[in-house]
Amino acid sequence: MTGPNPLKFLLAFTPTPLSALSGIALFVLIGLAVFAPWISPYPYDVQNLSIANQAPSALHWFGTDDFGRDVLSRVIFGARTSLSVSLISISLSLFGGVIIGAFCGYLGGWVDRLGMSVVDLTWFFPEILLALLIVAILGPGSESTIIAIAIAYLAQFTRLTRTQIITLKRQTFVEASLSMGAGSMHIMMRRLLPNAIAPVIVVAMLSTGNAILLEATLGFFGMGAQPPVPSWGGMMSTGSSQLFNAPWVIVWPGVFVALSVIFINLFGDGILRALDVKARMRTQ
């Protein structure tokens, strides 16, 4: 009797080579963010005006910015800021949306109407407009950006969870649990949520790509992480004035934003295919 094969387990969630490669690339990006202090060739905040706007070279692979700071080091540290802000904000939004959606969907009645009415207030505004409004009220910074993105994506997780719970609570296994004397919290936490959470988590993964774009947009407008802390959006904002003199300052963070979103979408699409049993049966 052989033990479980970790490689086969991972491949089950990445049914295509492209999604598998995207997953590996995502782990590399996360590794860059986590180990940024040890990987980056220079400190991200050290200025040297004598080499300002220097083109890419053997010493500075991505060139330098208008303060003589190494762009590669700032891109690596910017990954830590942009990815952590996006992941934390989506995690908070997911947690809040699942809790609110589960209670609204299971209890129904006035709880459902009241909860969804409050959540739908955020549904009426585009994410970028709502995030800009919240950051303008709270003030610029990473903490404000996390709160803004979390609120901006709260409605979609709440609605998706609510729909899943409403569908599942009509199933016979819920009636069987009720007949055996199970309480509402037991049914919700042990029976409904485990069956409803998978598609919500996949949507959260796909939304992380949008959150990276939103964080970069807020940073570009100067409302994200504040200097000297680098973020991809903030780097593109400061590099826009150097577009014709030193285009590498804005190009490299933009490339990493685009690659992050592409990798997340491809990897998420692979997980969606892996969870779609009917699609997998048709391809076999």
Side-chain angles (χ1 to χ4, degrees), residues 203-226:
V203 171
M205 177 179 296
L206 295 174
S207 297
T208 304
N210 296 330
I212 291 175
L213 286 175
L214 185 53
E215 188 277 335
T217 304
L218 292 174
F220 186 83
F221 290 141
M223 306 182 78
Q226 297 301 292

Side-chain angles (χ1 to χ4, degrees), residues 67-153:
F67 290 102
R69 296 172 298 191
D70 183 65
V71 174
L72 173 58
S73 300
R74 291 182 62 78
V75 167
I76 293 174
F77 274 94
R80 167 175 284 194
T81 303
S82 298
L83 293 180
S84 62
V85 167
S86 303
L87 289 172
I88 292 172
S89 58
I90 289 297
S91 298
L92 291 175
S93 187
L94 173 65
F95 179 78
V98 166
I99 296 300
I100 297 172
F103 275 97
C104 290
Y106 184 76
L107 298 177
W110 68 269
V111 174
D112 185 26
R113 291 191 297 271
L114 178 61
M116 295 311 299
S117 296
V118 174
V119 170
D120 282 345
L121 291 175
T122 66
W123 191 262
F124 296 139
F125 300 95
E127 286 91 353
I128 179 60
L129 181 60
L130 181 62
L132 284 171
L133 179 62
I134 294 172
V135 174
I137 294 173
L138 299 177
S142 298
E143 294 80 7
S144 301
T145 302
I146 290 173
I147 295 172
I149 297 176
I151 295 176
Y153 287 97

Side-chain angles (χ1 to χ4, degrees), residues 271-283:
I271 293 181
L272 275 176
R273 293 188 182 187
L275 293 175
D276 190 349
V277 178
K278 293 183 179 180
R280 292 178 66 188
M281 290 178 64
R282 288 196 298 268
T283 58

Side-chain angles (χ1 to χ4, degrees), residues 246-261:
W248 50 86
V249 178
I250 189 174
V251 167
W252 284 114
V255 167
F256 273 78
V257 169
L259 289 177
S260 299
V261 175

Side-chain angles (χ1 to χ4, degrees), residues 40-57 59-77 225-231 234-242 246 248-250 252-253:
S40 60
Y42 302 95
Y44 69 85
D45 55 350
V46 172
Q47 302 181 12
N48 187 354
L49 296 178
S50 63
I51 57 171
N53 291 332
Q54 191 177 82
S57 63
L59 291 177
H60 302 279
W61 291 1
F62 288 4
T64 61
D65 63 8
D66 53 340
F67 290 102
R69 296 172 298 191
D70 183 65
V71 174
L72 173 58
S73 300
R74 291 182 62 78
V75 167
I76 293 174
F77 274 94
Q226 297 301 292
V229 178
S231 70
M235 292 179 64
M236 287 190 290
S237 177
T238 57
S240 60
S241 61
Q242 304 291 323
W248 50 86
V249 178
I250 189 174
W252 284 114

